[in-house]
Amino acid sequence: MVYIVALLSVIFLGLAVLVISRMAAVVKSTRGPVEEGRIGMSNRVNAALFMVFFVVGLVGAVWSFWYASDFFLPEASSPHGRRTDFLFWLSMAIITVAFLVTNALLFFFAWRYQHREGYKAAYYPENHKLELIWTVIPAVVMAILVFTGWRAWRDIMSEAPADAQVFEIVGKQFNWIVRYPGVDDNKLGAYNYKLIDNSNDTGIDYTDQASFDDFTSTTELHIPVNKPVLLKIRARDVLHSVFIPHLRVKMDAVPGMPTRFWFVADKTTDEMRNITGNQDFGYEIACTEVCGRGHFSMRIRLVVEDEASWQAWCKEQKPLLSSTPELAARIPANLKAKAAKYLPADAPAAPADSTTASTQQGGGVSIARTTIR
Amino acid sequence: MATVAANTATVAHVAEHEHHEPQSFWRKYVFSEDHKTIAKQYLISGIIWSVIGISLSVMFRLQLGFPDMKLEFLRPILGNWINESGKLDPDFYLALVTMHGTIMVFFVLTAGLSGTFSNFLIPLQVGARDMASGFLNMLSYWFFFLASAVMLVSLFIETGPAAGGWVVYPPLSALPQAHPGSQLGMTLWLVSMALFIVSQLLGGINYITTVINLRTRGMSFSKLPLTIWAFFLTAVLGLISFPVLLSAALLLIFDRSFGTSFYLSEIYIGQTGEALPNVGGSPILFQHLFWFLGHPEVYIVLLPALGMTSEIIATNARKPIFGYRAMIASMMGIAFLAFIVWAHHMFVTGMNPFLGSIFMFLTLIIAVPSAVKAFNYITTLWRGNIRFTPAMLFSIGLVSFFISGGLTGLILGNSALDIQLHDTYFVVAHFHLVMGAASAFGLLAGVYHWFPKMFGRMMDEKLGYIHFWLTFIGIYLVFFPMHYIGIAGFPRRYYAFTSYDFTKNIFTDMNSFISLAAIFTFTAQWVFIWNFVYSLFKGKKAPQNPWKSNTLEWTTPINPGHGNWPGEIPAVYRWPYDYSKPGAKDDFIPQNVPYSQTPESNLPHENELIGLEKEIEAQNLNDQFKQPH
């Protein structure tokens, strides 16, 4: 490191001397008109520098690619991810060839056809055949890339299979909240943003009995391996974007417009620990749409486990209704009996006027129980 | 005879113009209606803005490259944006990113590039006395100046400037509770952009009108230099797309200040918690409106640079530009397609996937005309006789950036691949190369090439070479490694990469390297600024036609005055790219040389055009000096 710094300092010093001496030369030189048509040494130097730049640049590009490649596209754990990874490297191969050929020609021609005294450039204004060739070739290559990409896109964005396990993920400033459909009915209940308060941070609507066994978490999302998973995505306040790098999943969370993304995770967290050789490995979910001060730290952990342990884990979790029994006040009278099993036996009797109740629970914030027209 | 009479009238009028009352300092240099002065005003404003804009990027690169660095030394400038522990405030980090984007895209590469060179070159290269409306042109600059003033002020207010990214997506930008930058800073941003758009529209109308109506005798569209074609198409793009941004901004102003719900729906926000009453709006609507400008904006920035590069490469390769008509056709194709690809910025916003498919097809089509342009530049160099002026170096650099940055567009334009790479550093690297660096090189090439015409003096060539090599190398060092960080999945607009295992302790050296390269590149720009300022006052006097170029601006006096040409405006007989024509004694034949004077080099079909010369000379509709005013 010291040597690199020393080397760089020498280079910078050299450049600074070069620039300053040149500036001094400019200041000293007479202010007469320039002599026309004199093309000298600097033309040859510049031409040569293009070739030097190309060769050194190529070495640098190859070396840096090799150096950085350890961290490229972290191990994909979803079938669709491996498919897009393949397409990515295919496209990369094609554009690398194009990159090398065109840049090589550009710099080579610049060097090869530098000014020579007494030489006259070719008068070569057009060639329809050539132009046709280099219109058609990119068009064909593009067509192939588009077609393969489109098929992958169509499959990834298709409707989730009917047996997909549903989860909900809600973005807010500045964390994610996941809601599980619950072990009893495995169905997500309805929600309404006007019901959000400190005790009910995703706005679960308890007039829907599917909500009773739902539970939430702000720290972990547990999903089963090798099973289609459908993420229902929404946002509470501003735009966010769900990004699961290892699963190649990304979809914006939009307030007022629920979005979704389905995928299959086919490597459990433990398997990934073995594959990556990192015993601390954990899947993560990040935010990729700028959302304010804490945008860079909206982390929530994702745990992929086999179906049996996933189910066992889910059974251990308490429905939100059980951990926050005051929410029972929001349950309409005709469903009270169905909710009873989620409530502790000594649950307070529901007050008759539910509006007052939610005012008290809202931590001083009044939330009218209106539904959207 | 009529011509002779008209000629006398012009000379008389010009003489009369020369006896105008000497204009006051204010009318001559400040509220000037002369396109050349307005161009210089745009250029100098653009240079000042670019210094500010790039400085902002250096500040956030310090944070990204050296997260542990004490930034106390910035406290005199940034005040409390440096917190007690000597670190950059995360809110201000976002403000820096936002203002860097806004300033570079709109104030430097739109106003500074297109404003400077469209104003300067359109009248000079089409052979007009001035713009169609000097007054609107003056208004255009002063609206831009106002916009600049408001934007500059917003940098210094207590809650900080706008901070939702240069795309200012609502609801973040619409809700003052969401971020301090969405308070007064955002209001000023919107006011400034509204003024800016007015300025662009006034300018654009003028450019289009001038190109259509004020071309000199014989200057048909098929004889226009590619610069003018590029400026013309750019102005058309701007005229169609900027009003859409204005409407997006207006609706955002309504949402912010008047309680409407265009972009807002079902929002619960704030530390204390508040459910907003707004329902039925859509944040996606804003994104559609924004990118309907935002994508053409990429080409508004890039096309002028490509146009000037065509001119500079042909001149300095001493060869006709290869495929003049194909170049025009591809620019038209790009300009048209620019309007129907905007949603490729929105593949993962939750937009209908079917729309995603359509926009993927359209986006990858735009690669075809772009590829044609790149191949044509390369073929123009082939068997040329290349003279490496600084302008030529920057043009070749532009072609290299255009290729390198453009190619990764094939990956990002593919919606399936965009899922992983969207909003990562891969995107940042892509657009900085193809749009940022390429356009900036166009701007620099243009300054080096037309400096003699603008100021009557030459810039120092050797300092130009040094500037080029340091910048060219520096930009590749900044943006080439950035692709790697993107492929590793690093998201953009992150204050720090310490919160996630997949970014923690990875590429810290690479980020430091990029920051060092950015500082290096920024430092190199002072060579240019020194050269520019010094040459402005003490540069060597420019000869009549320093680059031996064919276009009309070099037929004006070295320091062109009011009306550009003393006496008659020259007529045009040939296209602008007769370089190294076989048989000709020089290696260039300017556009105003009739075929009848060059029998030794005429091609067979050109000999037939000799008969039309009288006809061309007889037309004289467009000289503004011959019209009553």
Side-chain angles (χ1 to χ4, degrees):
Chain A
M1 194 63 198
V2 179
Y3 292 107
I4 295 173
V5 171
L7 188 68
L8 283 178
S9 325
V10 170
I11 292 175
F12 284 140
L13 206 68
L15 286 175
V17 169
L18 178 70
V19 168
I20 290 168
S21 65
R22 186 57 216 164
M23 283 177 171
V26 173
V27 175
K28 257 187 260 162
S29 65
T30 49
R31 241 183 284 157
V34 288
E35 321 90 281
E36 283 187 62
R38 202 173 50 84
I39 296 172
M41 190 60 190
S42 17
N43 214 60
R44 288 196 290 279
V45 172
N46 278 310
L49 279 176
F50 272 116
M51 282 319 279
V52 173
F53 176 83
F54 180 66
V55 174
V56 175
L58 200 59
V59 173
V62 171
W63 177 81
S64 62
F65 185 92
W66 168 80
Y67 173 82
S69 58
D70 281 353
F71 307 109
F72 285 169
L73 289 180
E75 182 75 26
S77 325
S78 59
H80 86 263
R82 282 190 292 278
R83 182 168 175 189
T84 56
D85 282 7
F86 168 75
L87 289 178
F88 173 79
W89 289 117
L90 178 72
S91 305
M92 272 301 260
I94 292 170
I95 68 171
T96 304
V97 171
F99 168 77
L100 290 178
V101 170
T102 47
N103 270 305
L105 289 178
L106 179 71
F107 296 137
F108 174 72
F109 287 167
W111 170 74
R112 171 69 182 76
Y113 298 106
Q114 59 180 290
H115 173 84
R116 276 170 295 160
E117 219 48 61
Y119 175 80
K120 200 165 182 181
Y123 187 81
Y124 190 62
E126 59 190 353
N127 180 335
H128 292 301
K129 205 168 156 191
L130 261 181
E131 305 213 35
L132 196 67
I133 291 172
W134 62 50
T135 309
V136 169
I137 290 179
V140 170
V141 174
M142 237 62 85
I144 295 167
L145 289 180
V146 167
F147 189 67
T148 52
W150 171 72
R151 282 176 27 141
W153 171 254
R154 185 197 58 189
D155 294 345
I156 295 167
M157 290 292 153
S158 59
E159 286 299 324
D163 65 335
Q165 178 61 48
V166 178
F167 299 92
E168 185 182 60
I169 181 159
V170 183
K172 67 175 267 279
Q173 290 179 325
F174 295 98
N175 61 276
W176 296 105
I177 308 161
V178 286
R179 178 156 69 113
Y180 296 80
V183 283
D184 295 336
D185 61 3
N186 202 14
K187 263 173 76 178
L188 283 170
Y191 67 89
N192 182 343
Y193 82 104
K194 295 210 171 176
L195 299 174
I196 297 173
D197 58 31
N198 289 342
S199 58
N200 183 5
D201 56 2
T202 56
I204 301 174
D205 182 355
Y206 282 100
T207 59
D208 178 2
Q209 56 176 323
S211 306
F212 296 164
D213 62 343
D214 292 2
F215 58 94
T216 64
S217 166
T218 55
T219 53
E220 305 188 313
L221 171 60
H222 284 245
I223 61 171
V225 74
N226 289 328
K227 191 174 174 188
V229 166
L230 172 62
L231 275 188
K232 295 194 164 182
I233 303 164
R234 62 188 169 99
R236 254 173 53 165
D237 38 31
V238 299
L239 294 176
H240 301 275
S241 188
V242 175
F243 177 37
I244 315 177
H246 294 88
L247 296 177
R248 310 292 187 262
V249 168
K250 189 175 289 150
M251 183 54 70
D252 282 8
V254 184
M257 193 188 90
T259 56
R260 59 185 186 277
F261 199 110
W262 79 269
F263 58 90
V264 177
D266 58 5
K267 289 174 193 150
T268 64
T269 303
D270 287 336
E271 282 166 9
M272 279 296 272
R273 283 181 180 160
N274 293 331
I275 293 170
T276 58
N278 172 10
Q279 286 314 304
D280 300 324
F281 174 84
Y283 288 105
E284 293 170 305
I285 301 178
C287 177
T288 50
E289 186 62 71
V290 61
C291 60
R293 185 180 180 92
H295 170 55
F296 67 103
S297 58
M298 275 185 58
R299 176 173 185 253
I300 185 170
R301 295 200 301 134
L302 172 69
V303 177
V304 183
E305 50 198 350
D306 59 72
E307 179 130 19
S309 45
W310 174 73
Q311 272 172 351
W313 181 85
C314 285
K315 286 213 176 70
E316 287 167 22
Q317 309 305 310
K318 276 172 96 175
L320 186 66
L321 199 52
S322 311
S323 54
T324 323
E326 60 268 30
L327 288 173
R330 301 182 177 188
I331 300 171
N334 59 338
L335 294 174
K336 287 260 192 266
K338 287 189 171 139
K341 73 180 227 200
Y342 299 105
L343 291 166
D346 55 342
D353 184 356
S354 60
T355 316
T356 353
S358 52
T359 310
Q360 287 156 359
Q361 289 150 6
V365 182
S366 135
I367 293 144
R369 297 197 58 197
T370 49
T371 44
I372 303 167
R373 287 173 297 275
Chain B
M1 286 314 283
T3 327
V4 175
N7 217 340
T8 332
T10 322
V11 172
H13 183 96
V14 170
E16 179 199 311
H17 267 257
E18 275 163 4
H19 291 116
H20 267 321
E21 296 278 310
Q23 288 181 309
S24 70
F25 172 81
W26 288 97
R27 292 289 291 160
K28 198 167 173 195
Y29 295 109
V30 183
F31 295 105
S32 171
E33 294 184 18
D34 187 312
H35 71 101
K36 299 181 290 295
T37 308
I38 294 171
K40 292 171 198 169
Q41 290 173 330
Y42 267 115
L43 178 60
I44 289 166
S45 316
I47 290 177
I48 293 171
W49 269 123
S50 64
V51 171
I52 298 174
I54 302 174
S55 308
L56 300 182
S57 73
V58 168
M59 288 180 205
F60 67 71
R61 266 326 308 183
L62 283 179
Q63 162 64 26
L64 290 170
F66 310 97
D68 302 323
M69 192 177 186
K70 292 271 176 256
L71 296 174
E72 284 295 340
F73 65 95
L74 286 173
R75 195 180 285 280
I77 321 173
L78 299 185
N80 289 336
W81 293 118
I82 303 291
N83 63 21
E84 298 81 52
S85 51
K87 302 257 294 164
L88 201 63
D89 183 85
D91 284 333
F92 195 65
Y93 170 82
L94 290 179
L96 285 174
V97 177
T98 304
M99 296 312 281
H100 169 69
T102 306
I103 289 170
M104 296 312 282
V105 170
F106 292 113
F107 290 71
V108 177
L109 293 177
T110 305
L113 172 60
S114 175
T116 303
F117 290 102
S118 295
N119 268 312
F120 191 73
L121 291 178
I122 288 177
L124 285 172
Q125 288 196 336
V126 303
R129 297 286 181 194
D130 203 315
M131 282 288 178
S133 166
F135 181 70
L136 284 188
N137 209 19
M138 176 184 82
L139 273 188
S140 164
Y141 176 75
W142 287 101
F143 267 103
F144 165 64
F145 188 85
L146 267 181
S148 298
V150 175
M151 195 61 87
L152 190 66
V153 164
S154 85
L155 282 169
F156 296 99
I157 60 176
E158 193 183 354
T159 48
W166 77 283
V167 296
V168 298
Y169 284 172
L172 182 62
S173 60
L175 303 172
Q177 311 90 306
H179 194 274
S182 304
Q183 298 168 19
L184 182 59
M186 191 62 215
T187 306
L188 292 177
W189 193 95
L190 287 167
V191 170
S192 171
M193 284 312 295
L195 292 168
F196 183 85
I197 293 165
V198 172
S199 150
Q200 285 303 304
L201 295 181
L202 291 173
I205 290 171
N206 234 332
Y207 306 150
I208 294 171
T209 316
T210 309
V211 173
I212 293 179
N213 291 315
L214 295 181
R215 284 166 291 126
T216 185
R217 295 165 292 164
M219 181 65 94
S220 60
F221 268 85
S222 58
K223 295 197 190 83
L224 280 181
L226 287 172
T227 33
I228 303 301
W229 268 106
F231 297 146
F232 177 69
L233 291 169
T234 304
V236 173
L237 281 176
L239 201 61
I240 298 174
S241 61
F242 267 114
V244 179
L245 180 66
L246 186 61
S247 65
L250 282 178
L251 298 188
L252 186 53
I253 289 172
F254 287 156
D255 271 10
R256 287 169 54 81
S257 309
F258 305 113
T260 55
S261 314
F262 292 107
Y263 306 133
L264 304 177
S265 186
E266 302 187 26
I267 289 168
Y268 177 92
I269 192 163
Q271 296 303 317
T272 49
E274 178 193 6
L276 303 183
N278 312 62
V279 286
S282 167
I284 306 295
L285 170 65
F286 179 86
Q287 298 179 19
H288 279 295
L289 293 175
F290 180 88
W291 287 113
F292 190 84
L293 160 91
H295 197 80
E297 173 66 23
V298 171
Y299 296 100
I300 290 173
V301 164
L302 189 60
L303 278 180
L306 292 175
M308 292 194 290
T309 300
S310 310
E311 176 67 27
I312 293 168
I313 287 188
T315 304
N316 290 299
R318 313 307 295 162
K319 259 191 80 185
I321 191 82
F322 182 79
Y324 173 75
R325 276 161 201 279
M327 289 298 241
I328 295 171
S330 56
M331 281 199 283
M332 285 175 155
I334 289 173
F336 172 71
L337 290 168
F339 282 111
I340 49 173
V341 299
W342 78 88
H344 67 216
H345 300 267
M346 302 164 57
F347 284 141
V348 295
T349 54
M351 185 178 72
N352 189 326
F354 176 70
L355 267 184
S357 313
I358 301 294
F359 278 96
M360 168 167 60
F361 281 104
L362 294 169
T363 299
L364 295 193
I365 294 175
I366 211 168
V368 175
S370 308
V372 170
K373 283 194 83 75
F375 289 133
N376 283 1
Y377 286 130
I378 293 172
T379 316
T380 305
L381 295 181
W382 179 68
R383 293 176 65 194
N385 196 24
I386 302 167
R387 209 172 46 185
F388 292 105
T389 64
M392 182 63 169
L393 294 176
F394 276 100
S395 299
I396 294 175
L398 178 148
V399 176
S400 179
F401 288 150
F402 181 61
I403 294 170
S404 308
L407 282 170
T408 47
L410 295 183
I411 288 183
L412 291 168
N414 191 330
S415 52
L417 308 184
D418 188 58
I419 295 172
Q420 175 73 2
L421 294 169
H422 182 83
D423 265 342
T424 64
Y425 271 86
F426 198 80
V427 179
V428 180
H430 159 72
F431 74 76
H432 272 94
L433 276 183
V434 75
M435 161 182 168
S439 307
F441 267 39
L443 174 62
L444 290 167
V447 173
Y448 279 109
H449 195 77
W450 280 288
F451 192 88
K453 193 78 261 166
M454 283 184 163
F455 302 105
R457 292 177 185 275
M458 308 293 286
M459 289 178 80
D460 183 67
E461 292 216 318
K462 294 220 170 65
L463 278 180
Y465 301 148
I466 295 172
H467 173 222
F468 167 75
W469 284 107
L470 297 185
T471 313
F472 188 51
I473 294 169
I475 286 180
Y476 263 125
L477 290 182
V478 172
F479 296 112
F480 206 81
M482 218 177 251
H483 291 97
Y484 303 149
I485 297 181
I487 300 174
F490 281 49
R492 60 195 281 218
R493 296 176 180 141
Y494 266 30
Y495 171 73
F497 295 112
T498 45
S499 305
Y500 293 95
D501 292 342
F502 77 96
T503 57
K504 206 189 293 180
N505 303 327
I506 297 175
F507 283 148
T508 46
D509 52 347
M510 190 83 86
N511 267 318
S512 311
F513 176 82
I514 290 172
S515 297
L516 285 176
I519 293 165
F520 169 77
T521 315
F522 178 57
T523 314
Q525 301 318 300
W526 294 97
V527 177
F528 167 75
I529 290 176
W530 189 88
N531 195 356
F532 184 89
V533 175
Y534 186 85
S535 307
L536 203 56
F537 299 106
K538 300 203 167 171
K540 292 183 177 170
K541 286 265 188 303
Q544 176 67 37
N545 189 352
W547 320 120
K548 300 206 176 93
S549 184
N550 285 344
T551 37
L552 280 186
E553 74 271 27
W554 306 106
T555 64
T556 62
I558 293 175
N559 288 301
H562 172 59
N564 296 337
W565 284 269
E568 197 80 19
I569 301 177
V572 161
Y573 304 95
R574 59 178 76 229
W575 75 324
Y577 298 107
D578 266 347
Y579 290 107
S580 301
K581 210 170 182 188
K585 65 179 191 305
D586 277 328
D587 64 355
F588 70 114
I589 311 174
Q591 283 192 280
N592 60 335
V593 176
Y595 287 120
S596 53
Q597 287 179 19
T598 56
E600 69 280 4
S601 67
N602 288 350
L603 302 171
H605 74 276
E606 289 169 344
N607 280 321
E608 293 163 20
L609 297 175
I610 292 177
L612 295 175
E613 285 170 10
K614 284 275 170 295
E615 216 172 292
I616 289 174
E617 279 152 26
Q619 305 168 352
N620 204 355
L621 309 167
N622 298 335
D623 189 336
Q624 287 152 298
F625 279 5
K626 290 187 184 159
Q627 283 146 17
H629 64 273

